[in-house]
Amino acid sequence: MNKGNIVCEVELIDEKKVKAVKKKLPQDTLINQLSETFKSLSDFTRLKILLSLAEEELCVCDIAALTGVSVSATSHQLRLLKNARLVNYIKEGKMVYYSLDDEHINKIVNEATKHCLE
Amino acid sequence: MNKGNIVCEVELIDEKKVKAVKKKLPQDTLINQLSETFKSLSDFTRLKILLSLAEEELCVCDIAALTGVSVSATSHQLRLLKNARLVNYIKEGKMVYYSLDDEHINKIVNEATKHCLE
DNA sequence: ATAACATTTGAGCAATTGTTCAAATGAAAA
DNA sequence: TTTTCATTTGAACAATTGCTCAAATGTTAT
């Protein structure tokens, strides 16, 4: 993954500093989980779905109407969110009702909103 | 963007519900800014950079060493983060020192960590 | 059974992304 | 000046993404 730059990496970096920071970083597996979580929130349609579900439990049809994308695209995104453990669903006959699976999402979005509005 | 599905969208959706939820949603422009912010956090390398800068101000060289990607790739990502107003930099001779530009980032990451660890 | 229909699924496609490579900047040292 | 070197930049490329379309499920109604 990292080729060359031998000078920079071996001789000139502030090794103490780098090691000190490295020690404080979360494990790669956690950083990976975090980035995956943010990836789920990084798409306009998915984020709108989550914001909608934060208000109320909704069926695929209604979510599609709210987001303005096709039912198929909505279903694809919902599966993604389900895999990311961000939403849950219950089946009622033909209908499938989705809901938010995690209260943290609201807090995350709220903090991000502060950043956007500052 | 949404073709067909006339039945689903015009006749069968719970229109009251949909309208009520729609009214409570943030404006599209804000949702867009939010998703862009999350996009900045959604890449492993970029997130690691931000976590590192949360600890200490660092030069490009050191950041490259910490993340394990090339200096060039690091620089590209730093520019992205700069455009997203998530980092700042100061120049000192040949060196460029980057730092976190926003304390919210830590809070966002902390909330996301709770989600990942639950 | 057959039809209707909400939802899911998989293939295919254009657009975006993260990286590498090579070359360009720009500042300090020789 | 010339060299060195941290950083930036742009082109190119493979990999990923989010969508559409068509077909498949699975459930309810006729």
Side-chain angles (χ1 to χ4, degrees), chain B residues 6-29:
Chain B
I6 296 156
V7 179
C8 204
E9 284 184 42
V10 177
E11 300 190 28
L12 287 183
I13 50 169
D14 188 337
E15 257 199 277
K16 270 188 202 165
K17 210 181 192 181
V18 169
K19 278 192 179 174
V21 171
K22 204 164 214 164
K23 207 178 283 182
K24 291 186 185 174
L25 289 182
Q27 290 198 314
D28 278 6
T29 52

mmCIF file of all heavy atoms in Angstrom, chain B residues 6-29:
data_model
loop_
_atom_site.group_PDB
_atom_site.id
_atom_site.type_symbol
_atom_site.label_atom_id
_atom_site.label_comp_id
_atom_site.label_asym_id
_atom_site.label_seq_id
_atom_site.Cartn_x
_atom_site.Cartn_y
_atom_site.Cartn_z
ATOM 1 N N ILE B 6 -47.156 4.342 -10.200
ATOM 2 C CA ILE B 6 -48.259 5.261 -10.015
ATOM 3 C C ILE B 6 -49.221 4.751 -8.954
ATOM 4 O O ILE B 6 -49.695 5.494 -8.116
ATOM 5 C CB ILE B 6 -48.996 5.470 -11.357
ATOM 6 C CG1 ILE B 6 -48.037 6.131 -12.345
ATOM 7 C CG2 ILE B 6 -50.219 6.322 -11.165
ATOM 8 C CD1 ILE B 6 -48.389 5.890 -13.779
ATOM 9 N N VAL B 7 -49.483 3.480 -9.030
ATOM 10 C CA VAL B 7 -50.390 2.881 -8.066
ATOM 11 C C VAL B 7 -49.919 3.155 -6.649
ATOM 12 O O VAL B 7 -50.653 3.678 -5.815
ATOM 13 C CB VAL B 7 -50.454 1.347 -8.259
ATOM 14 C CG1 VAL B 7 -51.373 0.746 -7.237
ATOM 15 C CG2 VAL B 7 -50.938 1.035 -9.677
ATOM 16 N N CYS B 8 -48.646 2.830 -6.441
ATOM 17 C CA CYS B 8 -48.102 2.909 -5.104
ATOM 18 C C CYS B 8 -48.070 4.341 -4.601
ATOM 19 O O CYS B 8 -48.403 4.607 -3.467
ATOM 20 C CB CYS B 8 -46.683 2.341 -5.125
ATOM 21 S SG CYS B 8 -46.144 1.751 -3.544
ATOM 22 N N GLU B 9 -47.699 5.236 -5.480
ATOM 23 C CA GLU B 9 -47.498 6.601 -4.996
ATOM 24 C C GLU B 9 -48.758 7.427 -4.944
ATOM 25 O O GLU B 9 -48.901 8.320 -4.131
ATOM 26 C CB GLU B 9 -46.494 7.316 -5.897
ATOM 27 C CG GLU B 9 -45.090 6.872 -5.614
ATOM 28 C CD GLU B 9 -44.114 7.670 -6.447
ATOM 29 O OE1 GLU B 9 -44.318 8.875 -6.559
ATOM 30 O OE2 GLU B 9 -43.175 7.078 -6.975
ATOM 31 N N VAL B 10 -49.699 7.127 -5.836
ATOM 32 C CA VAL B 10 -50.860 7.993 -5.893
ATOM 33 C C VAL B 10 -52.042 7.440 -5.105
ATOM 34 O O VAL B 10 -52.807 8.178 -4.499
ATOM 35 C CB VAL B 10 -51.271 8.249 -7.357
ATOM 36 C CG1 VAL B 10 -52.516 9.092 -7.418
ATOM 37 C CG2 VAL B 10 -50.128 8.937 -8.079
ATOM 38 N N GLU B 11 -52.155 6.128 -5.086
ATOM 39 C CA GLU B 11 -53.360 5.587 -4.484
ATOM 40 C C GLU B 11 -53.170 4.954 -3.118
ATOM 41 O O GLU B 11 -54.032 5.068 -2.253
ATOM 42 C CB GLU B 11 -53.974 4.547 -5.422
ATOM 43 C CG GLU B 11 -54.335 5.146 -6.775
ATOM 44 C CD GLU B 11 -55.169 4.172 -7.596
ATOM 45 O OE1 GLU B 11 -55.867 3.362 -6.983
ATOM 46 O OE2 GLU B 11 -55.095 4.223 -8.834
ATOM 47 N N LEU B 12 -52.063 4.308 -2.938
ATOM 48 C CA LEU B 12 -52.017 3.458 -1.763
ATOM 49 C C LEU B 12 -51.227 3.987 -0.574
ATOM 50 O O LEU B 12 -51.356 3.493 0.529
ATOM 51 C CB LEU B 12 -51.465 2.086 -2.133
ATOM 52 C CG LEU B 12 -52.449 1.236 -2.941
ATOM 53 C CD1 LEU B 12 -51.866 -0.123 -3.198
ATOM 54 C CD2 LEU B 12 -53.772 1.093 -2.169
ATOM 55 N N ILE B 13 -50.393 4.963 -0.802
ATOM 56 C CA ILE B 13 -49.603 5.430 0.322
ATOM 57 C C ILE B 13 -50.474 6.120 1.363
ATOM 58 O O ILE B 13 -51.534 6.627 1.052
ATOM 59 C CB ILE B 13 -48.513 6.435 -0.127
ATOM 60 C CG1 ILE B 13 -49.142 7.522 -1.008
ATOM 61 C CG2 ILE B 13 -47.388 5.734 -0.804
ATOM 62 C CD1 ILE B 13 -48.240 8.681 -1.281
ATOM 63 N N ASP B 14 -49.997 6.115 2.543
ATOM 64 C CA ASP B 14 -50.676 6.794 3.647
ATOM 65 C C ASP B 14 -50.313 8.277 3.558
ATOM 66 O O ASP B 14 -49.358 8.745 4.162
ATOM 67 C CB ASP B 14 -50.189 6.188 4.970
ATOM 68 C CG ASP B 14 -51.005 6.721 6.142
ATOM 69 O OD1 ASP B 14 -51.605 7.825 6.025
ATOM 70 O OD2 ASP B 14 -51.046 6.031 7.174
ATOM 71 N N GLU B 15 -51.105 8.997 2.801
ATOM 72 C CA GLU B 15 -50.710 10.369 2.467
ATOM 73 C C GLU B 15 -50.584 11.298 3.666
ATOM 74 O O GLU B 15 -49.672 12.113 3.741
ATOM 75 C CB GLU B 15 -51.693 10.966 1.458
ATOM 76 C CG GLU B 15 -51.117 10.992 0.045
ATOM 77 C CD GLU B 15 -51.855 11.978 -0.836
ATOM 78 O OE1 GLU B 15 -52.900 11.601 -1.354
ATOM 79 O OE2 GLU B 15 -51.357 13.120 -0.985
ATOM 80 N N LYS B 16 -51.491 11.160 4.604
ATOM 81 C CA LYS B 16 -51.411 11.999 5.807
ATOM 82 C C LYS B 16 -50.074 11.790 6.512
ATOM 83 O O LYS B 16 -49.367 12.723 6.854
ATOM 84 C CB LYS B 16 -52.549 11.622 6.778
ATOM 85 C CG LYS B 16 -53.823 12.419 6.558
ATOM 86 C CD LYS B 16 -54.809 12.114 7.676
ATOM 87 C CE LYS B 16 -56.242 12.431 7.255
ATOM 88 N NZ LYS B 16 -57.236 11.834 8.164
ATOM 89 N N LYS B 17 -49.784 10.519 6.683
ATOM 90 C CA LYS B 17 -48.551 10.155 7.376
ATOM 91 C C LYS B 17 -47.343 10.740 6.648
ATOM 92 O O LYS B 17 -46.481 11.378 7.243
ATOM 93 C CB LYS B 17 -48.447 8.629 7.403
ATOM 94 C CG LYS B 17 -47.714 8.050 8.589
ATOM 95 C CD LYS B 17 -47.688 6.536 8.427
ATOM 96 C CE LYS B 17 -47.240 5.810 9.658
ATOM 97 N NZ LYS B 17 -47.213 4.341 9.434
ATOM 98 N N VAL B 18 -47.313 10.534 5.349
ATOM 99 C CA VAL B 18 -46.183 10.997 4.549
ATOM 100 C C VAL B 18 -46.039 12.509 4.635
ATOM 101 O O VAL B 18 -44.937 13.036 4.839
ATOM 102 C CB VAL B 18 -46.336 10.559 3.078
ATOM 103 C CG1 VAL B 18 -45.327 11.262 2.189
ATOM 104 C CG2 VAL B 18 -46.190 9.055 2.961
ATOM 105 N N LYS B 19 -47.135 13.206 4.524
ATOM 106 C CA LYS B 19 -47.075 14.664 4.596
ATOM 107 C C LYS B 19 -46.617 15.132 5.968
ATOM 108 O O LYS B 19 -45.830 16.079 6.083
ATOM 109 C CB LYS B 19 -48.454 15.269 4.279
ATOM 110 C CG LYS B 19 -48.726 15.387 2.790
ATOM 111 C CD LYS B 19 -49.965 16.246 2.519
ATOM 112 C CE LYS B 19 -50.221 16.376 1.017
ATOM 113 N NZ LYS B 19 -51.501 17.077 0.733
ATOM 114 N N ALA B 20 -47.098 14.467 6.997
ATOM 115 C CA ALA B 20 -46.716 14.844 8.355
ATOM 116 C C ALA B 20 -45.212 14.668 8.557
ATOM 117 O O ALA B 20 -44.545 15.543 9.122
ATOM 118 C CB ALA B 20 -47.492 14.001 9.369
ATOM 119 N N VAL B 21 -44.692 13.551 8.067
ATOM 120 C CA VAL B 21 -43.256 13.304 8.208
ATOM 121 C C VAL B 21 -42.464 14.312 7.384
ATOM 122 O O VAL B 21 -41.471 14.873 7.858
ATOM 123 C CB VAL B 21 -42.904 11.866 7.782
ATOM 124 C CG1 VAL B 21 -41.405 11.668 7.724
ATOM 125 C CG2 VAL B 21 -43.541 10.862 8.735
ATOM 126 N N LYS B 22 -42.933 14.549 6.173
ATOM 127 C CA LYS B 22 -42.240 15.469 5.271
ATOM 128 C C LYS B 22 -42.086 16.837 5.907
ATOM 129 O O LYS B 22 -41.055 17.507 5.770
ATOM 130 C CB LYS B 22 -43.024 15.596 3.963
ATOM 131 C CG LYS B 22 -42.181 16.021 2.783
ATOM 132 C CD LYS B 22 -42.903 15.742 1.456
ATOM 133 C CE LYS B 22 -41.926 15.351 0.346
ATOM 134 N NZ LYS B 22 -42.604 14.734 -0.799
ATOM 135 N N LYS B 23 -43.121 17.253 6.610
ATOM 136 C CA LYS B 23 -43.112 18.567 7.239
ATOM 137 C C LYS B 23 -42.020 18.659 8.313
ATOM 138 O O LYS B 23 -41.428 19.725 8.534
ATOM 139 C CB LYS B 23 -44.486 18.845 7.850
ATOM 140 C CG LYS B 23 -44.823 20.323 7.935
ATOM 141 C CD LYS B 23 -46.225 20.549 8.509
ATOM 142 C CE LYS B 23 -47.313 20.262 7.488
ATOM 143 N NZ LYS B 23 -48.671 20.536 8.025
ATOM 144 N N LYS B 24 -41.755 17.543 8.957
ATOM 145 C CA LYS B 24 -40.783 17.553 10.055
ATOM 146 C C LYS B 24 -39.340 17.407 9.587
ATOM 147 O O LYS B 24 -38.403 17.657 10.351
ATOM 148 C CB LYS B 24 -41.103 16.421 11.039
ATOM 149 C CG LYS B 24 -42.387 16.643 11.824
ATOM 150 C CD LYS B 24 -42.561 15.557 12.867
ATOM 151 C CE LYS B 24 -43.892 15.668 13.596
ATOM 152 N NZ LYS B 24 -44.125 14.528 14.513
ATOM 153 N N LEU B 25 -39.155 17.000 8.356
ATOM 154 C CA LEU B 25 -37.787 16.786 7.863
ATOM 155 C C LEU B 25 -37.049 18.109 7.683
ATOM 156 O O LEU B 25 -37.659 19.126 7.377
ATOM 157 C CB LEU B 25 -37.830 16.052 6.523
ATOM 158 C CG LEU B 25 -38.247 14.587 6.545
ATOM 159 C CD1 LEU B 25 -38.197 14.005 5.138
ATOM 160 C CD2 LEU B 25 -37.352 13.784 7.471
ATOM 161 N N PRO B 26 -35.731 18.079 7.870
ATOM 162 C CA PRO B 26 -34.914 19.272 7.560
ATOM 163 C C PRO B 26 -34.995 19.557 6.069
ATOM 164 O O PRO B 26 -35.383 18.703 5.286
ATOM 165 C CB PRO B 26 -33.492 18.847 7.932
ATOM 166 C CG PRO B 26 -33.631 17.624 8.745
ATOM 167 C CD PRO B 26 -34.908 16.967 8.345
ATOM 168 N N GLN B 27 -34.597 20.753 5.682
ATOM 169 C CA GLN B 27 -34.568 21.101 4.258
ATOM 170 C C GLN B 27 -33.546 20.249 3.511
ATOM 171 O O GLN B 27 -32.539 19.832 4.082
ATOM 172 C CB GLN B 27 -34.210 22.573 4.102
ATOM 173 C CG GLN B 27 -35.312 23.514 4.566
ATOM 174 C CD GLN B 27 -35.114 24.912 4.012
ATOM 175 O OE1 GLN B 27 -34.007 25.434 4.064
ATOM 176 N NE2 GLN B 27 -36.174 25.502 3.473
ATOM 177 N N ASP B 28 -33.814 20.048 2.236
ATOM 178 C CA ASP B 28 -32.912 19.234 1.415
ATOM 179 C C ASP B 28 -31.479 19.744 1.443
ATOM 180 O O ASP B 28 -30.534 18.950 1.440
ATOM 181 C CB ASP B 28 -33.409 19.194 -0.035
ATOM 182 C CG ASP B 28 -34.508 18.146 -0.224
ATOM 183 O OD1 ASP B 28 -34.945 17.559 0.785
ATOM 184 O OD2 ASP B 28 -34.906 17.915 -1.376
ATOM 185 N N THR B 29 -31.333 21.073 1.462
ATOM 186 C CA THR B 29 -29.962 21.614 1.455
ATOM 187 C C THR B 29 -29.202 21.206 2.710
ATOM 188 O O THR B 29 -28.010 20.908 2.658
ATOM 189 C CB THR B 29 -29.969 23.141 1.343
ATOM 190 O OG1 THR B 29 -30.824 23.681 2.346
ATOM 191 C CG2 THR B 29 -30.477 23.584 -0.006
#
